[in-house]
Amino acid sequence: MEEANNTFDVIVIGAGNGGLVAALTLQKKGKKVLLLEKGRVPGGFASSFKRGRFEFDASLHELCEYGTPENKGEVYYLFESLGLTDKITMIPIQETFSIYTLDTHEQYTMPVGKEAFLGQMEKYVPNSTASMLHFFDLCEEVKQALAYLNETKGHPDTNVLMEKFPNFMVVAPYSVQKVLEKIRMPIKAQEILTTYWSYLGSPAESLSFVHYASMIYSYITNAPVIPKNTSHEISLTLSEEFTNLGGKLEYLSPVKEILIENGSVHGVITEDNRRFLTKHIIADISPHEVYTKLIDQEKVPDKAKKFVSSRVLGARGLCVYLGLNKSMEELGLDRYSYFIYHTLNSNVEYKRMHNLYNGNLVATLQNNHEDTSIMCLTSLLFGDVFDQEVTEENYYEVKEKIAENMVRSFEEATHVNIHEAIEEIEIATPVTFARYTNHPDGVIYGYLAQGYDNLLPRIMNEPNEMYIKNLHFCGGFGSRLSGYSSAYLNGEQEALKTFGEMKNDTI
Ligand SMILES: Cc1cc2nc3c(=O)[nH]c(=O)nc-3n(C[C@H](O)[C@H](O)[C@H](O)COP(=O)(O)OP(=O)(O)OC[C@H]3O[C@@H](n4cnc5c(N)ncnc54)[C@H](O)[C@@H]3O)c2cc1C
């Protein structure tokens, strides 16, 4: 009896975006699902917190691939199938991005919509239209080819790929920089177009064209959205749907061990020594954590150990959350997002971002109530500079210095004084993010996607990367890489694969 109560068709570890969607997808298919979360709320990074009269989104700046009821994106279709679209209010953001540079004193604002984007680029960079049109054609083909790869679950027919997507096959191995150079896009247009590089955590010379094209095209053609009541609203809705359907969601239940028998998943043990059995696990946490800490090392195949040591950790995050006692109008700011770099050369800026006080950041800004606003400044760090330079003794001093530098950077770039309007401030560092999600070194964008270890190879290789039978990974460390939409879509994908595998289960 005891055994039956503790046995599940699937156990999902971690209630982040990917884990929530995976759990709900399988519960909707009638499976008995246990979702174990170490924290006390759902969502992982997709959460919010309150300070004084302000509620801050912990992470979400923009959700892409959502769209509108008239122009549905992939995430819209997913949420519709899960019955969520009428339960969450999304607000479209009517701009693509604004960039300000500190050293070269440039400023560009790009609108949403292909025509508008093209027109604005031509104004900033005369004679860029032909190469931009070429770029859009490539983006469209990339979009369709990726849809085909998803349909065929990483086993495409190469003849179909060659016939239907010949340009995709040509650009697939190359970086954004290589392809934009090849289509003779003027340098300034390339620089403006690659503004979003920091969202994917790799500079133009090593960022996959396919990865970047699929993201930027979605932002340009379909306005990004944010939920009216922060990303916590989405996480809460997903978790409620799951439990309303009978799913078992246990908070404050960190998994301390994954049980393996004969090379296959057998169950888990939680920190408080509860034991749950299953033949299928979907982990919404990093393979680093799973293979090095949660599984008896003798049961971890050498290939899995090699896999983990070959992956490079991606960007660490530094966030400054500001509650301002002035509205955006009073401050003289009218954009939602401000990308601030020293220059527009992403390769140079990527190197700069191996420095604690690099001053590059993305700021998002919204009115709160009538007379207040909320601003979030996010800066990225690459490499291990944080671990090298920050100690227990200097931690608070360093994090305040970094925050001060970020506020100063924003003010210098926009010529707007915000520090005098600060009513509440909270600073999150890689230490905060590591404690919150257990991700190694507090990385916020999963594994670094560069060179040959990029979106496409990850999707194609994924079927070969299951080193323990029926142990799947989803979310930001999954094959679709980091980001809200990637994590949601990957959660569904891994759930459907798991559902398929269950057909082979013996009683
Ligand atoms: C500051 C910031 C800004 C961002 N901005 C954007 C943005 O604008 N747009 C965008 O698309 N993406 C953005 N991202 C990235 C995005 O938030 C992530 O890619 C996405 O949320 C990852 O989801 P996930 O499924 O991997 O779950 P995670 O959020 O990584 O959650 C993992 C969950 O697992 C739980 N867990 C860990 N270990 C255990 C264990 N042993 N047992 C049980 N539970 C465990 C954790 O508590 C957590 O709840 C941002 C991230 C950050 C931090």
Side-chain angles (χ1 to χ4, degrees), residues 11-23 34-39 41-44 249-251 253-255 281-285 294 437 439 474-475:
I11 295 177
V12 178
I13 306 174
N17 289 336
L20 284 166
V21 167
L34 171 64
L35 174 52
L36 292 169
E37 165 54 47
K38 88 173 175 59
V41 287
L249 170 46
E250 298 263 334
Y251 292 114
S253 301
V255 168
I281 288 180
I282 300 178
D284 185 25
I285 56 181
L294 301 190
T437 55
H439 293 337
C474 73

Side-chain angles (χ1 to χ4, degrees), residues 62-329:
E62 302 177 75
L63 172 60
C64 76
E65 291 172 42
Y66 192 81
T68 59
E70 298 74 40
N71 189 11
K72 297 175 186 174
E74 264 191 286
V75 178
Y76 195 106
Y77 282 115
L78 169 65
F79 279 19
E80 202 169 41
S81 73
L82 295 173
L84 307 176
T85 38
D86 54 347
K87 299 190 173 93
I88 303 165
T89 311
M90 296 290 191
I91 304 169
I93 297 166
Q94 295 304 345
E95 66 186 35
T96 307
F97 54 75
S98 290
I99 333 165
Y100 290 72
T101 58
L102 290 161
D103 290 357
T104 48
H105 307 291
E106 291 164 89
Q107 185 194 326
Y108 305 99
T109 294
M110 299 305 288
V112 166
K114 240 158 117 171
E115 289 303 315
F117 197 94
L118 207 60
Q120 189 62 41
M121 188 66 99
E122 183 62 31
K123 273 192 202 154
Y124 289 138
V125 190
N127 303 320
S128 57
T129 296
S131 58
M132 282 298 299
L133 284 170
H134 195 162
F135 172 72
F136 284 148
D137 286 346
L138 288 174
C139 288
E140 192 55 48
E141 198 170 313
V142 163
K143 186 176 153 186
Q144 287 170 17
L146 286 179
Y148 171 69
L149 287 178
N150 277 333
E151 262 167 46
T152 52
K153 298 184 173 61
H155 297 290
D157 178 335
T158 328
N159 291 329
V160 174
L161 273 176
M162 301 290 267
E163 263 169 44
K164 282 189 152 177
F165 312 110
N167 296 313
F168 169 80
M169 294 301 277
V170 173
V171 297
Y174 294 107
S175 68
V176 190
Q177 186 171 318
K178 274 267 173 331
V179 175
L180 299 187
E181 278 170 4
K182 199 77 192 160
I183 63 174
R184 297 179 192 282
M185 186 175 283
I187 299 278
K188 190 54 68 189
Q190 290 186 34
E191 290 182 338
I192 296 173
L193 190 63
T194 48
T195 292
Y196 268 136
W197 72 270
S198 59
Y199 270 3
L200 298 184
S202 287
E205 68 185 0
S206 51
L207 178 60
S208 142
F209 177 78
V210 168
H211 193 190
Y212 192 70
S214 62
M215 183 190 74
I216 186 89
Y217 193 57
S218 144
Y219 274 123
I220 294 171
T221 53
N222 222 340
V225 299
I226 48 169
K228 187 164 173 248
N229 299 312
T230 78
S231 59
H232 183 61
E233 180 183 2
I234 309 181
S235 307
L236 208 58
T237 311
L238 281 163
S239 63
E240 280 171 3
E241 285 294 299
F242 172 67
T243 50
N244 287 344
L245 286 171
K248 192 171 165 67
L249 170 46
E250 298 263 334
Y251 292 114
L252 299 175
S253 301
V255 168
K256 73 168 181 189
E257 188 176 349
I258 295 179
L259 304 169
I260 307 296
E261 265 187 16
N262 303 322
S264 187
V265 158
H266 181 63
V268 301
I269 300 178
T270 54
E271 207 63 68
D272 55 3
N273 289 322
R274 284 174 297 155
R275 189 181 157 96
F276 299 101
L277 300 180
T278 187
K279 289 182 175 156
H280 301 271
I281 288 180
I282 300 178
D284 185 25
I285 56 181
S286 70
H288 262 71
E289 181 77 5
V290 167
Y291 291 130
T292 63
K293 294 196 187 141
L294 301 190
I295 300 178
D296 177 353
Q297 286 306 291
E298 289 190 356
K299 296 187 174 169
V300 178
D302 287 345
K303 276 188 178 171
K305 290 181 184 163
K306 208 165 156 190
F307 162 86
V308 165
S309 57
S310 68
R311 285 265 145 93
V312 180
L313 293 172
R316 278 77 164 160
L318 294 161
C319 275
V320 182
Y321 305 91
L322 300 172
L324 304 172
N325 66 14
K326 287 193 175 136
S327 67
M328 290 172 64
E329 293 70 27

Side-chain angles (χ1 to χ4, degrees), residues 333 338 340 363 375 406-414 418:
L333 293 166
Y338 296 78
I340 293 169
M375 181 178 255
M406 286 164 68
V407 170
R408 203 174 315 117
S409 233
F410 181 85
E411 293 186 331
E412 195 185 320
T414 59
I418 51 167

